[in-house]
Amino acid sequence: FLLGYGTLHAQKPNYDESKMPPYTLPDPLKMENGQAVTSAKMWKEKRRPEIQKLFETHVYGKAPAHPKDLHFKVLNEDKYAVGNMATRKEVAVYFTKDEKQFMTVLMYIPNKRKGAVPMFFGLNFKGNHSVSEDPGITQSVIRMKPGPDGVEGRTGVFKRGAEASRWPIEMLIANGYAVATVYRGDIDPDYDDGYQNGVQPLFYKEGQTRPAADEWGTLAAWAWGLSCAMDYFKTDPDIDSEKVAVVGHSRHGKTALWTAAIDPRFAMAISNDSGCGGAALTKRIYGETVSIVNKLFPHWFCDNFKKYNDKEELLPVDQHQLIALMAPRPVYIASAIDDKWADPKGEFLSGVHAEPVYKLFGLDGLNTTKMPAVDQPIREGSIGYHVRTGDHDINLYDWQQFVKFADQFFK
Ligand code: GCU
């Protein structure tokens, strides 16, 4: 139910490069008024805000400021987790004063540490308890579209450790990294509920019943939630909040990129198989398209994005500009060769076309326009990339590359 929509095509996707319409990408270094962007300063002060605004208005939707009542509570702490190698803690991030709406951040922090440590942080699919068999993790309540019984929240849907292969906690701890995760349903459930059951209603003005066409969809709500968690990390002395990488697979990869775009406090973004609306160039029309993603997941993007169903050429932005919003911070893009739905080449090309912005900062990007062979990561510059053998997933190989990439900047 939660995964594997790849077979449910709303229209037949194109997998033939020769059938791709010719496309022109918007130039990240040209202002909307045609002026050339000639310095890092001009990028930061003029062009970057312009591009962020375009993505907010046409793609993800604008999110409000963090709630004034945002507050935190460490719920529990166990210093003997992961074979005594790590401290596990769970932190409630309350969105409301009455503490009725909150998310639970699960954290593992290496015990062998001198001072604050860098961290990987991202959303999980199947609940916090799915990332490890650790019996100390509080079970997340899984929120799915109610069936005939009208029940939305359930426990016992996913087993402990059901998603453990996607979270190599021991390896990360052994390499000196903390790791933290949140179940996305804590922020906004992943089904089209007309935006009634997530965080959006907390901000509706009198009489408002759904976000305006340029206001946050579910992906933007998840990103906003991760950004709220950063407010907590800033208060946690064990975490080096200047060295937090936001990471995600697939829909969570789209979210990771958007999170780092709206919140510059994240020092790095890592996208794994994020595809359409993530790292893949939209205008290529290869694999998943705007109309397909909007049909399968009408709640993910803002309502304005639907104007571009089968009209990708009219979009004023493309995803290389999302990658460029990371600059000068390092960004890593990962693909899987059999995951054609996510368009590996389109993901690579986003990195290629973001490079001029990094150059403006005197930084190297991918430094090549040639897609590398499988399992040959590129990670010399501030944009990293690999396409690995295999299908849509995030696995140990992917994480090993993320660690090597992060080591260059965080160690
Ligand atoms: C579907 C969807 C993708 C998404 C993926 C996932 O396949 O079409 O856009 O990335 O689910 O999140 O696993």
Side-chain angles (χ1 to χ4, degrees):
F1 170 83
L2 287 168
L3 309 163
Y5 282 90
T7 48
L8 275 176
H9 303 152
Q11 73 178 35
K12 224 171 147 15
N14 171 46
Y15 292 122
D16 184 346
E17 293 262 341
S18 73
K19 295 219 175 92
M20 252 166 36
Y23 61 89
T24 327
L25 295 177
D27 185 345
L29 294 182
K30 197 157 159 202
M31 299 286 302
E32 294 303 284
N33 66 12
Q35 217 187 337
V37 179
T38 50
S39 67
K41 185 171 185 287
M42 189 173 172
W43 164 263
K44 274 196 281 198
E45 289 172 7
K46 298 234 160 71
R47 182 58 170 151
R48 192 188 184 283
E50 195 172 71
I51 295 178
Q52 183 177 331
K53 180 97 198 286
L54 288 171
F55 277 109
E56 277 170 353
T57 309
H58 301 276
V59 185
Y60 305 100
K62 190 172 169 47
H66 295 178
K68 65 174 185 340
D69 293 319
L70 192 72
H71 62 289
F72 324 108
K73 205 177 282 170
V74 178
L75 301 173
N76 55 62
E77 193 165 344
D78 176 358
K79 295 200 159 81
Y80 305 99
V82 195
N84 298 343
M85 273 169 52
T87 296
R88 175 198 349 95
K89 65 181 173 192
E90 294 177 327
V91 180
V93 173
Y94 298 104
F95 300 125
T96 55
K97 196 170 178 181
D98 64 11
E99 305 194 343
K100 279 194 184 133
Q101 250 175 292
F102 65 97
M103 62 182 178
T104 306
V105 183
L106 168 68
M107 305 173 71
Y108 287 95
I109 303 156
N111 286 336
K112 216 174 114 195
R113 65 177 187 272
K114 281 192 226 97
V117 289
M119 184 166 75
F120 291 96
F121 175 48
L123 297 171
N124 64 70
F125 281 83
K126 300 181 176 177
N128 286 353
H129 61 284
S130 76
V131 306
S132 160
E133 274 165 34
D134 180 349
I137 305 172
T138 303
Q139 283 220 33
S140 299
V141 177
I142 302 303
R143 299 175 71 188
M144 302 194 300
K145 194 177 177 121
D149 62 0
V151 178
E152 186 205 50
R154 295 170 193 274
T155 49
V157 182
F158 298 114
K159 287 206 190 82
R160 284 188 184 279
E163 223 188 336
S165 68
R166 290 177 164 183
W167 294 91
I169 296 168
E170 249 188 82
M171 183 278 270
L172 296 171
I173 294 296
N175 279 283
Y177 287 91
V179 50
T181 184
V182 171
Y183 168 56
R184 70 184 182 295
D186 280 6
I187 305 165
D188 192 11
D190 194 4
Y191 67 92
D192 185 11
D193 63 0
Y195 303 112
Q196 298 312 304
N197 303 342
V199 287
Q200 290 93 343
L202 295 173
F203 297 87
Y204 288 162
K205 299 190 193 80
E206 224 175 285
Q208 188 178 6
T209 54
R210 100 178 248 129
D214 63 350
E215 288 179 337
W216 52 345
T218 293
L219 293 175
W222 294 338
W224 176 91
L226 296 182
S227 172
C228 287
M230 178 52 98
D231 291 12
Y232 166 73
F233 299 142
K234 287 274 165 206
T235 70
D236 188 328
D238 293 331
I239 302 306
D240 185 344
S241 62
E242 316 245 294
K243 293 182 179 167
V244 178
V246 58
V247 51
H249 168 60
S250 210
R251 67 198 69 182
H252 300 163
K254 307 180 211 295
T255 308
L257 292 172
W258 185 239
T259 304
I262 59 164
D263 190 342
R265 296 175 301 172
F266 286 95
M268 182 181 294
I270 302 170
S271 146
N272 194 85
D273 305 356
S274 61
C276 180
L281 290 178
T282 308
K283 294 180 198 283
R284 260 169 61 84
I285 320 293
Y286 184 101
E288 188 170 31
T289 60
V290 174
S291 68
I292 297 177
V293 77
N294 278 334
K295 208 159 266 172
L296 294 176
F297 305 95
H299 56 295
W300 279 1
F301 298 89
C302 71
D303 281 344
N304 273 343
F305 195 49
K306 301 192 170 87
K307 291 188 191 154
Y308 304 98
N309 286 350
D310 303 312
K311 292 196 186 76
E312 284 83 352
E313 72 281 5
L314 297 182
L315 255 175
V317 281
D318 210 325
Q319 302 305 107
H320 62 303
Q321 292 169 298
L322 177 62
I323 303 300
L325 289 182
M326 309 304 144
R329 297 165 295 165
V331 55
Y332 196 97
I333 304 167
S335 311
I337 196 70
D338 297 329
D339 185 15
K340 295 206 178 106
W341 183 245
D343 186 13
K345 186 160 177 206
E347 296 186 313
F348 172 72
L349 288 175
S350 264
V352 170
H353 296 294
E355 185 156 324
V357 179
Y358 281 81
K359 291 280 182 207
L360 214 52
F361 286 90
L363 295 168
D364 279 337
L366 291 164
N367 259 349
T368 177
T369 54
K370 196 173 165 277
M371 177 129 172
V374 285
D375 307 327
Q376 299 289 323
I378 303 175
R379 49 164 180 267
E380 283 68 46
S382 290
I383 304 176
Y385 179 81
H386 75 247
V387 54
R388 68 159 164 74
T389 310
D391 214 335
H392 190 69
D393 198 3
I394 181 168
N395 65 19
L396 185 60
Y397 177 87
D398 296 315
W399 280 99
Q400 283 165 339
Q401 313 320 311
F402 305 157
V403 166
K404 284 185 193 153
F405 185 69
D407 279 352
Q408 303 180 89
F409 301 95
F410 289 170
K411 292 281 172 74

